[in-house]
Amino acid sequence: MTELAKLASLVDMGAATRRYDWPAAAATLGAMPPPDYIELIDAHGGGTLDRDLTVFEPGAVPAAYDLLTEGLLRAEDAEEFWAEGDPDFPRPPRLSAPGTRLICWASTPAAEFLYWVVPSAVPSASWTIALQQGEDHLWEFFDLGTVAFLHSLLTGGIESSILKDWYARQDSHSYTHF
């Protein structure tokens, strides 16, 4: 069983109702999203896991969950924050390499943001996932693909001081489409 099939079974995902123009999305984002994310969105669309973690999709309504607008705006917010130079909240070393940027692909109502770390000239299948707690500017990094990250988050395979394994404590999980 593929990682996507495991995730879809775990949260009882329905089928996507839209088609996505991935070349246009890549042009807007400046890179093609990871293949497993594309597979997830093509098969099931964007939506909210357990009424809390929202996975963005291109052109989502409401726009707050649109990968092409919100995904880039969140990244711009992080860059602006670091440009202010607050010594208490420096840019994490894993984000300091020249040409490295972020694309936000999911969020929670508690101001937790999931990003892909996009180094220059690295294929999207190899991107790292960064988790940011927006209020305290805490960062964690996971060397997992998008789908593997979500599945591990829901099954307790990820240790996170930001999310504190609260997803894994639930007996059942859900996925609600936009």
Side-chain angles (χ1 to χ4, degrees), residues 90-102:
R91 178 187 300 265
R94 287 188 78 169
L95 303 177
S96 296
T100 298
R101 61 190 185 90
L102 298 169

Side-chain angles (χ1 to χ4, degrees), residues 2-8 10 13 22 29 32-42 45-47 49 53-57 67 103-107 114-118 123-130 142-155 158 163 175:
T2 68
E3 199 74 38
L4 180 56
K6 290 179 200 174
L7 176 64
L10 181 66
M13 290 180 157
W22 293 111
L29 296 171
M32 187 64 77
D36 66 329
Y37 168 82
I38 291 171
E39 184 181 13
L40 167 66
I41 299 302
D42 278 347
L49 287 163
L53 189 144
T54 300
V55 178
F56 302 170
E57 71 179 17
L67 177 70
I103 298 172
C104 186
W105 60 272
S107 67
L114 290 134
Y115 296 91
W116 293 304
V117 178
V118 183
S124 62
S126 301
W127 292 349
T128 295
I129 290 178
F142 302 91
D143 292 320
L144 292 169
T146 306
V147 173
F149 175 86
L150 292 172
H151 186 262
S152 294
L153 182 65
L154 294 170
T155 58
I158 288 178
L163 296 177
Y175 192 72

